[in-house]
């Protein structure tokens, strides 16, 4: 929810008044808030928690498609009441959003195609000529801006995807977290 206790109380009153909890999700976040392309069902740990919260509030639930780059605007323009897709707590986000206690921890994972299987360490990634893709607005964007010294950073805005940039050869590797990296699959080169 957006900052300020008064705003949070007002938001909760609106949710109860309208009888609906609108939850922003990134529907491509495998294991967290993933929309199954066959069934349309939203599954994952944060999707389950959204259902539990709606039940506790005794309201209906609506999932609103969002992403890390647009979540702030979605909250500020009242398109959703809360964001639930493993949104990392960062100093920049803390200036405009309140957070629950963390419930998911993940290290940063580098995902690449089989044709780049020679990348085994950070030194293999951060070197001249390498391109590292990250999704716009994610924790990984700020982290890679800070950490990369030699490789080029490619910030990918939806509808383009980090994995699409690697698969196309425009990037060598993309940075992600454990749940999403489990889902990453590439066509055989």
């Amino acid at each position: 929810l957006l900052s300020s206790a008064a705003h949070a109380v007002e938001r909760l009153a609106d949710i109860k008044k309208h009888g609906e909890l609108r939850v922003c999700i990134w529907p491509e976040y495998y294991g967290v808030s993933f929309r199954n392309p066959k069934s349309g069902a939203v599954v994952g740990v944060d999707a389950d928690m959204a259902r539990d919260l709606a039940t506790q509030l005794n309201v209906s639930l609506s999932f609103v498609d969002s992403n890390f780059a647009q979540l702030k605007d979605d909250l500020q323009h009242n398109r959703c009441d809360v964001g639930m897709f493993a949104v990392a707590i960062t100093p920049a986000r803390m200036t405009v959003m309140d957070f629950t206690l963390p419930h998911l921890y993940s290290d940063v994972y580098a995902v690449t195609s089989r044709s780049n299987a020679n990348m085994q360490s950070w030194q293999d990634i951060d070197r001249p000529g390498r391109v590292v893709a990250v999704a716009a607005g994610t924790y990984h964007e700020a982290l890679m801006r800070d950490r990369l010294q030699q490789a080029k950073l490619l910030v990918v805005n939806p509808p383009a995807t980090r994995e699409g940039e690697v698969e196309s050869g425009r990037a060598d590797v993309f940075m992600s977290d454990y749940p999403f990296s489990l889902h990453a699959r590439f066509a055989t080169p």
Side-chain angles (χ1 to χ4, degrees):
L1 295 173
L2 294 178
S3 295
S4 101
H7 184 76
V9 169
E10 182 181 309
R11 182 64 63 106
L12 182 58
D14 284 346
I15 292 167
K16 290 188 174 195
K17 177 182 172 185
H18 293 104
E20 178 183 41
L21 173 65
R22 298 166 302 150
V23 177
C24 273
I25 61 165
W26 179 42
E28 299 172 26
Y29 207 159
Y30 183 77
V32 176
S33 60
F34 181 74
R35 181 172 290 113
N36 183 307
K38 291 180 182 176
S39 69
V42 179
V43 297
V45 65
D46 279 7
D48 291 344
M49 286 191 298
R51 287 182 186 91
D52 288 345
L53 180 57
T55 298
Q56 289 176 26
L57 295 174
N58 197 29
V59 297
S60 66
L61 172 66
S62 294
F63 289 116
V64 178
D65 289 2
S66 186
N67 59 57
F68 294 98
Q70 76 183 51
L71 177 60
K72 177 182 162 188
D73 286 342
D74 285 341
L75 289 167
Q76 289 179 325
H77 291 100
N78 201 28
R79 288 187 280 271
C80 59
D81 302 304
V82 64
M84 295 180 78
F85 51 98
V87 179
I89 300 170
T90 66
R93 288 180 182 150
M94 288 176 62
T95 64
V96 295
M97 296 177 206
D98 290 328
F99 289 87
T100 63
L101 293 174
H103 63 276
L104 177 67
Y105 294 91
S106 176
D107 212 341
V108 176
Y109 287 78
V111 181
T112 190
S113 64
R114 287 189 179 119
S115 63
N116 284 325
N118 62 339
M119 281 192 248
Q120 300 294 315
S121 68
W122 178 250
Q123 291 74 26
D124 295 332
I125 294 169
D126 189 20
R127 63 182 217 199
R130 293 278 195 220
V131 177
V132 178
V134 296
T138 61
Y139 168 77
H140 304 108
E141 179 183 358
L143 180 66
M144 289 301 104
R145 283 191 194 285
D146 185 53
R147 294 279 313 271
L148 290 176
Q149 296 180 7
Q150 300 178 61
K152 178 184 174 193
L153 179 63
L154 174 61
V155 178
V156 181
N157 286 292
T161 64
R162 303 164 294 180
E163 56 275 24
E165 295 302 305
V166 170
E167 195 165 20
S168 71
R170 291 184 294 268
D172 300 295
V173 62
F174 75 84
M175 305 313 265
S176 190
D177 56 27
Y178 183 73
F180 192 87
S181 66
L182 285 176
H183 184 64
R185 301 284 188 260
F186 295 107
T188 304

